[in-house]
Amino acid sequence: MALYERFVDGKKIARAFTVDGSDEDRHLRSLAVDGIDGWKRATDPEGSEPPVSDSSAPFDPAKHTVDDVLAHLADADRDEAERVLAAEEAGKARRGVLAARDTLASLREE
């Protein structure tokens, strides 16, 4: 797990925990390396914990990376997959997630 922090005028304004090697991790790593938008990779994230998610709340694709959403869809039943894809389409509408709709449709046809 990696921790990235964003600074503006010397003040920390954002934090992002990522899974090493995920699309989001690669994106934030490139921003941090180039110093874009004030992003930096935390050198010692020890003691820093990612936000704890409420397991009773429904899965919200907007709060997860594309890789996380795809992993959730791989384990989801048909109703959950359709709910998550509808939420994605109404929200961020990321192509990588919405492409899963075609895969799910072809699996249902088999």
Side-chain angles (χ1 to χ4, degrees), residues 55 78 80 101 105:
S55 60
R78 182 175 149 190
E80 173 65 0
R101 176 173 283 149

Side-chain angles (χ1 to χ4, degrees), residues 7 18-19 27 38 48 63 83 109:
F7 294 85
T18 65
V19 175
H27 173 70
S48 300
K63 294 181 180 178
R83 184 195 67 76
E109 291 171 3

Side-chain angles (χ1 to χ4, degrees), residues 21-44:
S22 67
D23 289 342
E24 185 178 27
D25 182 60
R26 286 190 293 274
H27 173 70
L28 288 175
R29 183 183 304 263
S30 68
L31 293 177
V33 167
D34 294 335
I36 297 172
D37 292 334
W39 283 102
K40 296 179 182 179
R41 184 172 175 144
T43 55
D44 185 18

Side-chain angles (χ1 to χ4, degrees), residues 54-68:
D54 180 1
S55 60
S56 65
F59 183 86
D60 181 358
K63 294 181 180 178
H64 298 275
T65 66
V66 169
D67 290 339
D68 292 341

Side-chain angles (χ1 to χ4, degrees), residues 1-5 12 15-17 42-51:
M1 181 168 302
L3 169 63
Y4 294 90
E5 298 173 324
K12 185 180 354 176
R15 297 175 79 187
F17 288 90
T43 55
D44 185 18
E46 191 170 319
S48 300
E49 293 294 324

